[in-house]
Amino acid sequence: MRRRPPEAADPSSSATPSKVALIRNSLEPIITLRHIDLPLQIDLLRELGAGFTALHTKVTALDPEPGSDLLRQVGPQIPAIHDLVSRSLVRLSVLDGSQYTAVPGSRFSLDTLSGVTASASIAASQLARAVGDNPLDGAVFAGGPPVDAESVRQARHAEAAPVLAESLATAAQHLELSAICCQYTASAIIRDLTEHPEHRPDLPELSPAQYAVLERIARGGTRRYAPLKSPVRITDNDGRTIHPKPFGMLEKERLIRVARTSRYVNQDVVVTAAGQLALDFQKPHRSQAPSPAKPPAPRHTGGRKR
């Protein structure tokens, strides 16, 4: 009598739980996170927030009086907002799928930045609505009934004025919210990196002299004067000269940034996000002072006390 060969075992039924987990894990796709310059993204987010703040100031200052002047004021602001929306989407796309998404707390930061595009788009929509609700002067159809052109104009302006004021106020609110969210996202990235040192970016190791110069620049007020045919001079907020060698290293490593407005005027120097992280994460290598010598312990002579 011939014996039947044993049936092939089902891996899912006969494998131990540890083997099943190993099989499943091997079938899962491997997700590779893109490595990006996180300090640079922080700086760009701050610049983006400053752009929204500048637009908020402009929209707040708009005169809601109906007419052609309002059109000339509102018109340029709409494409400016759309440009900031595009830049927001770029920042969001860069952060998405990067190593930052592995940092605890990053989800809330990305959600906040996603809201910037929605809020800014609402601001642009409100300004577009103001354009549509803004009454402009023009001639009526020929052959129509005679009308008092001035009275009609005043009535149209009176009806549109509160609607325009509300649209401009709503747009300004959403621009302010967009600016706050950009600055919050930048601060949140710094917070997350500070709370989770294992995710900190690689930063250059600073010497004591370089760290001291970076501290001086971080206080604000540092200027670099670069005339055309004279040596470059760098001073801090107290007017003290900063040596160009550590300054040059900090600039090369992008720990500081010089506002190159002109070669013939004082140029502002600011600490970048990478520079601030270096200040927060590193400590100056100061030699420890020797501990004071302990006084000698009293010796027991063995004599009796009188």
Side-chain angles (χ1 to χ4, degrees):
M1 181 176 179
R2 298 178 59 185
R3 299 178 59 184
R4 296 177 58 188
E7 296 181 359
D10 184 1
S12 63
S13 59
S14 62
T16 62
S18 60
K19 291 182 179 179
V20 172
L22 183 60
I23 295 172
R24 290 177 179 175
N25 290 338
S26 64
L27 297 178
E28 292 179 355
I30 299 176
I31 300 176
T32 303
L33 299 179
R34 289 179 293 100
H35 184 81
I36 63 173
D37 188 346
L38 279 176
L40 175 61
Q41 298 305 311
I42 295 172
D43 288 331
L44 294 175
L45 283 169
R46 288 173 172 170
E47 291 179 8
L48 186 62
F52 279 116
T53 299
L55 271 181
H56 169 261
T57 302
K58 291 182 179 180
V59 172
T60 303
L62 293 179
D63 183 5
E65 179 67 24
S68 299
D69 287 341
L70 179 64
L71 176 62
R72 284 190 287 269
Q73 295 177 64
V74 171
Q77 313 310 325
I78 297 176
I81 296 176
H82 286 312
D83 177 65
L84 292 180
V85 171
S86 298
R87 290 166 57 186
S88 303
L89 288 171
V90 172
R91 300 277 70 76
L92 184 62
S93 299
V94 171
L95 289 172
D96 178 48
S98 71
Q99 79 272 23
Y100 176 62
T101 58
V103 183
S106 58
R107 180 185 299 177
F108 189 75
S109 301
L110 294 178
D111 289 345
T112 303
L113 186 56
S114 299
V116 172
T117 60
S119 185
S121 297
I122 292 174
S125 176
Q126 287 296 315
L127 292 186
R129 178 181 176 182
V131 172
D133 293 334
N134 181 38
L136 300 176
D137 297 333
V140 297
F141 289 105
V147 294
D148 185 353
E150 183 58 29
S151 62
V152 171
R153 177 180 178 278
Q154 292 179 2
R156 295 178 68 206
H157 282 214
E159 182 180 1
V163 177
L164 297 176
E166 181 179 359
S167 295
L168 296 183
T170 304
Q173 291 173 1
H174 282 278
L175 288 173
E176 183 180 23
L177 178 60
S178 299
I180 293 173
C181 289
C182 287
Q183 299 296 348
Y184 173 84
T185 305
S187 300
I189 296 176
I190 295 178
R191 177 204 63 205
D192 295 338
L193 295 177
T194 302
E195 294 179 354
H196 303 280
E198 66 276 13
H199 294 285
R200 291 177 182 175
D202 295 331
L203 296 171
E205 191 71 20
L206 300 180
S207 67
Q210 294 164 352
Y211 191 95
V213 169
L214 189 59
E215 276 188 318
R216 291 166 62 184
I217 298 174
R219 299 188 189 106
T222 299
R223 300 283 188 273
R224 185 174 76 169
Y225 185 69
L228 184 59
K229 295 183 179 180
S230 299
V232 175
R233 184 165 54 91
I234 309 162
T235 59
D236 62 12
N237 59 340
D238 295 327
R240 297 181 300 167
T241 300
I242 294 178
H243 196 277
K245 186 174 182 179
F247 183 92
M249 178 272 175
L250 297 176
E251 185 179 14
K252 179 181 178 181
E253 296 292 343
R254 296 188 299 177
L255 302 182
I256 59 175
R257 179 173 58 85
V258 180
R260 303 180 185 277
T261 55
S262 172
R263 296 185 60 185
Y264 309 103
V265 297
N266 289 337
Q267 301 168 338
D268 292 335
V269 181
V270 296
V271 174
T272 63
Q276 190 59 52
L277 290 174
L279 286 174
D280 295 340
F281 297 163
Q282 299 182 25
K283 298 296 180 183
H285 303 286
R286 298 188 178 94
S287 59
Q288 295 183 353
S291 57
K294 296 182 180 179
R299 293 183 300 173
H300 296 284
T301 58
R304 292 188 306 170
K305 295 183 179 180
R306 295 185 178 181

